[in-house]
């Protein structure tokens, strides 16, 4: 495939079997990623390569490159359909597990290390923005003053206790003639 004959490289690799399958997966993934113009065809090539790499990893469990090329193809496919959709389909864990397996089998596998770092960055970049939109309230530019939907610390403590299965009023104790509790005594 270094001569640019990707289809011939895929065919020759598949015919050779064994390590040739790794060459076929690499050639197909590189072609799909950098040269294929049709988005639909590109995604189909990634799915095909990921399935072939998964089958290879199944028969050659100690082949780090089989795990790596499965993760690579699934990762590129995920980018094509959107990272959020891919995570919803469970592809994120498959990618991460494949990369971690490749690294466990070949600790010096630089491509797998780089891909795992890029995977984490991509998830944080794409999903972090999604989760950031689910925050409650807001603060000023310096994160000092609450500007929208303030929550009092007593309410926050009561919510945390509730999540732990504890009713906040059960923690009331009397000291010097006054009732005390973590969530204070004001309100209900």
């Amino acid at each position: 495939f270094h001569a640019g004959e990707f289809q011939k490289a895929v065919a020759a690799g598949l015919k050779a079997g064994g390590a040739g399958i790794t060459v076929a997966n690499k050639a197909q993934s590189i072609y799909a990623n950098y040269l294929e113009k049709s988005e639909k065809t590109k995604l189909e090539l990634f799915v095909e390569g990921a399935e072939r790499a998964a089958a290879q990893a199944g028969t050659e469990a100690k082949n780090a490159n089989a795990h790596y090329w499965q993760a690579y193809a699934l990762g590129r496919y995920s980018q094509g359909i959107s990272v959020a959709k891919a995570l919803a389909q469970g592809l994120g864990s498959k990618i991460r597990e494949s990369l971690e397996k490749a690294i466990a089998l070949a600790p010096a596998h630089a491509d797998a290390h780089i891909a795992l770092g890029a995977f984490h960055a991509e998830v944080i970049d794409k999903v972090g923005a999604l989760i950031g939109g689910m925050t409650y309230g807001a603060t000023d530019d310096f994160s000092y003053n609450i500007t929208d939907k303030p929550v009092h610390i007593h309410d926050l403590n009561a919510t945390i206790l509730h999540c732990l299965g504890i009713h906040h009023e059960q923690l009331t104790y009397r000291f010097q003639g006054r009732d005390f509790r973590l969530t204070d005594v004001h309100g209900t």
Side-chain angles (χ1 to χ4, degrees):
F1 69 89
H2 290 290
E5 297 180 20
F6 293 92
Q7 289 177 329
K8 286 184 180 179
V10 171
L14 293 176
K15 185 178 178 184
I21 295 172
T22 300
V23 173
N25 292 336
K26 182 175 184 178
Q28 184 166 320
S29 293
I30 290 173
Y31 172 80
N33 195 42
Y34 297 108
L35 299 173
E36 178 57 50
K37 303 269 189 252
S38 165
E39 193 64 29
K40 182 182 177 200
T41 303
K42 184 183 288 195
L43 293 177
E44 290 169 354
L45 290 170
F46 285 136
V47 169
E48 182 183 302
E51 289 171 351
R52 191 170 46 239
Q56 183 184 22
T59 59
E60 301 174 35
K62 294 188 178 186
N63 183 337
N65 284 319
H67 296 283
Y68 170 75
W69 285 108
Q70 178 187 12
Y72 182 94
L74 286 176
R76 295 301 183 187
Y77 172 78
S78 297
Q79 289 174 323
I81 64 169
S82 97
V83 174
K85 285 181 185 177
L87 291 173
Q89 293 176 17
L91 296 179
S93 59
K94 287 181 183 178
I95 295 166
R96 188 191 74 246
E97 289 166 6
S98 293
L99 290 171
E100 288 173 347
K101 183 74 172 175
I103 292 169
L105 292 169
H109 199 302
D111 288 337
H113 283 283
I114 291 167
L116 186 59
F119 167 77
H120 288 299
E122 183 89 15
V123 169
I124 290 168
D125 181 49
K126 301 294 184 202
V127 179
L130 177 70
I131 292 171
M134 291 186 231
T135 58
Y136 185 85
T139 60
D140 62 13
D141 290 339
F142 299 104
S143 298
Y144 186 75
N145 294 307
I146 300 170
T147 60
D148 184 34
K149 300 178 187 169
V151 175
H152 197 278
I153 189 68
H154 299 135
D155 296 328
L156 177 62
N157 286 335
T159 301
I160 292 169
L161 289 170
H162 175 75
C163 290
L164 295 171
I166 302 169
H167 191 279
H168 68 99
E169 291 178 347
Q170 291 176 334
L171 298 176
T172 303
Y173 65 95
R174 189 170 273 297
F175 179 71
Q176 294 183 344
R178 180 176 181 255
D179 288 335
F180 289 91
R181 64 177 173 248
L182 183 63
T183 55
D184 208 2
V185 188
H186 72 283
T188 57

